[in-house]
Amino acid sequence: MGGKAFAGKVAIVTGGGSGIGRAASRLLAAEGAQLVVADIAIDQARRTVELIEQAGGEAIAVRADISSEDDNRAMFDAAADRFGGVDHAFLNAGILQPYIPFEEVGLDLFDRLVGVNLRGTFMGVQQALARLRPRGSCVVTASLAAVVGFSEAAAYSISKHGLVGLVRSAAGPFAARGLRINAICPGMVLSGMTGGAGLETLVDPAELPDPAYRGGLEAQHIAEAALFLLGRGAAAINGQAQNVDAAFLAAFPPLPELQ
């Protein structure tokens, strides 16, 4: 076998300017893909492109607000214009919310979270369905908050729950076009978005630190799992939501006296 897993392929990564998106963009490029790095923070996207180019890869940066229908269309247009088409889409962009009681969630906050995380990703999925080339794939970043309730971040949890329903609902239409779609549900990632530092450089997967049981994760841990789901090794996986959480939801927490 051998060779680069994504040689000759074109991929779009949203939220590619930092964290999971930057790690995934760099890993895809290292595996031979040409990249469209999309982010609302264009300077951060350009920095990701610089890192890819320094490693010998090829990428372009595109400013994209995923809550905009025009921007969702434009990033796929950019892939077609620059690279001739698109094979893979990692729809990773999203926003968090401050922790507040459920009863204090206002409609403005709710609409903002749903508008970006759910509606925005829905538009990206529709573009992917229409425009990915046969045998292509799409991965959506959901969250552990997509599979359990989170009353202190209810709008976020609701928006992420919707993504799992989106992926499951889209699996049949994607399969009908020779495509796949799955969700990835990260646990606590040590990135700038969550107030952590995280790894600034990629490492060989064999050198990735083992997270503690139910502990924090590096962005690369999530990116590696996303690449697997995007790749041909996951050809039989469609319409699924994969937890990547260091066993955070594997069991009830131990009783305090047993810790």
Side-chain angles (χ1 to χ4, degrees), residues 220-244:
Q220 189 177 342
H221 287 122
I222 313 304
E224 296 280 1
L227 256 68
F228 170 72
L229 290 174
L230 287 168
R232 294 304 303 166
I237 303 175
N238 188 26
Q240 304 303 308
Q242 175 61 58
N243 292 354
V244 184

Side-chain angles (χ1 to χ4, degrees), residues 5-251:
F6 292 88
K9 303 300 182 182
V10 179
I12 294 171
V13 177
T14 66
S18 61
I20 297 167
R22 175 173 285 178
S25 296
R26 296 176 68 190
L27 289 173
L28 282 162
E31 288 294 334
Q34 296 168 306
L35 264 295
V36 173
V37 180
D39 203 299
I40 195 168
I42 186 61
D43 288 344
Q44 293 183 29
R46 288 174 178 147
R47 176 56 182 159
T48 299
V49 169
E50 288 178 4
L51 292 168
I52 289 170
E53 291 176 341
Q54 289 169 8
E58 188 175 0
I60 60 172
V62 174
R63 186 190 182 281
D65 176 352
I66 67 164
S67 67
S68 161
E69 185 175 13
D70 287 343
D71 283 9
N72 276 282
R73 186 182 301 110
M75 64 188 181
F76 280 84
D77 288 344
D81 292 345
R82 177 64 179 268
F83 301 121
V86 61
D87 302 283
H88 305 287
F90 182 27
L91 303 180
N92 165 72
I95 57 174
L96 298 173
Q97 71 157 94
Y99 287 3
I100 56 175
F102 179 89
E103 59 273 18
E104 294 181 14
V105 175
L107 288 179
D108 287 346
L109 176 63
F110 181 86
D111 289 345
R112 174 68 175 151
L113 268 291
V114 171
V116 174
N117 291 348
L118 181 54
R119 183 178 181 273
T121 306
F122 173 75
M123 291 187 287
V125 166
Q126 285 195 320
Q127 287 292 320
L129 176 61
R131 302 179 69 170
L132 293 181
R133 293 186 284 220
R135 304 192 92 194
S137 59
C138 179
V139 170
V140 169
T141 298
S143 169
L144 288 193
V147 292
V148 294
F150 193 176
S151 60
E152 292 80 15
Y156 177 78
S157 181
I158 291 163
S159 70
K160 293 293 187 174
H161 269 74
L163 292 182
V164 174
L166 168 59
V167 163
R168 290 173 175 165
S169 299
F174 268 69
R177 295 201 60 241
L179 307 170
R180 298 180 297 108
I181 183 169
N182 291 287
I184 194 164
C185 300
M188 175 56 72
V189 180
L190 305 173
S191 68
M193 191 173 184
T194 59
L199 291 174
E200 288 298 318
T201 58
L202 298 180
V203 299
D204 186 284
E207 301 302 320
L208 270 174
D210 292 329
Y213 175 66
R214 306 183 73 212
L217 307 163
E218 299 294 345
Q220 189 177 342
H221 287 122
I222 313 304
E224 296 280 1
L227 256 68
F228 170 72
L229 290 174
L230 287 168
R232 294 304 303 166
I237 303 175
N238 188 26
Q240 304 303 308
Q242 175 61 58
N243 292 354
V244 184
D245 66 348
F248 194 90
L249 295 185

